[in-house]
Amino acid sequence: YLAELREATLTFLYRLLFVLYAEDRDLLPTRHPGYDDYSLDKKVRGEIAARLDAGDVLSDKRNTYDHHLRGLWSQIDGGDTSIGLPPYNGGLFAAARSPLLERTKLPDDRFAPLFDALSRVSADTGADRRRLNYRDLSVQHLGSIYERLLDFDLAALGQGIAVRPHPFARK
């Protein structure tokens, strides 16, 4: 189960990174007016930032953002000609890649802080947070991030799960 959970977590995180990178680089049809409803940048990033900054209580029952994200992943996998989105069928977004991920839904109160941590960084002074620009990342940066993620493993810890360095990780 831990191996399946690790794979689902890595897939989830890398899908998020891919979409943030692709939207910032206009590799997805971000200029198409019909894409606005699906965009993480235009629809989700700002809303989550505003809600967290305002101290809103997010639902532990609803999975609004997770549902939105999965719809976008499905479109990326299969394409959507109505918004000029070709299929990116390299396997990363395929539902069959991670059955556990397909069965698991993140409630808003869990998803929003995770996504915000990938979307914004604290400014050097004060509590203001600024938007991260994924446009400046290179493909090599993304590969390096992925390799670093592989350096960690999951371990059972009592009733919970802990992240630890992978015992066979490259040094």
Side-chain angles (χ1 to χ4, degrees):
Y1 176 76
L2 289 176
E4 187 180 8
L5 179 60
R6 179 177 182 261
E7 180 63 27
T9 303
L10 288 172
T11 299
F12 185 87
L13 184 56
Y14 217 65
R15 285 177 180 179
L16 280 176
L17 291 173
F18 176 90
V19 172
L20 291 167
Y21 174 83
E23 284 190 354
D24 276 1
R25 287 210 164 200
D26 291 328
L27 300 174
L28 294 172
T30 55
R31 298 182 193 276
H32 191 288
Y35 185 77
D36 289 355
D37 289 338
Y38 308 105
S39 173
L40 290 186
D41 185 46
K42 293 177 182 167
K43 181 130 176 111
V44 177
R45 265 178 140 174
E47 182 178 320
I48 286 176
R51 291 192 67 191
L52 291 176
D53 289 349
D56 283 357
V57 175
L58 296 164
S59 176
D60 62 350
K61 306 284 187 273
R62 297 192 66 200
N63 58 349
T64 309
Y65 302 118
D66 183 89
H67 179 74
H68 177 90
L69 186 62
R70 289 165 193 276
L72 178 58
W73 289 346
S74 177
Q75 285 181 292
I76 292 171
D77 183 50
D80 187 340
T81 56
S82 73
I83 57 172
L85 178 62
Y88 284 78
N89 53 7
L92 178 61
F93 294 97
R97 179 181 177 103
S98 178
L100 177 62
L101 183 56
E102 293 306 309
R103 293 190 312 265
T104 307
K105 307 298 182 231
L106 284 175
D108 292 350
D109 69 336
R110 301 288 181 161
F111 177 80
L114 167 73
F115 186 72
D116 193 56
L118 291 172
S119 297
R120 299 188 301 163
V121 65
S122 295
D124 293 334
T125 57
D128 290 340
R129 300 191 62 183
R130 64 177 172 80
R131 180 184 181 278
L132 285 170
N133 182 356
Y134 282 82
R135 176 186 305 273
D136 295 337
L137 288 179
S138 68
V139 172
Q140 289 80 12
H141 287 121
L142 290 173
S144 178
I145 290 168
Y146 187 69
E147 286 178 3
R148 293 287 297 165
L149 290 171
L150 293 176
D151 288 344
F152 295 93
D153 204 359
L154 300 177
L157 184 65
Q159 296 293 331
I161 295 172
V163 177
R164 66 173 185 190
H166 193 287
F168 301 108
R170 293 183 312 165
K171 301 296 181 213

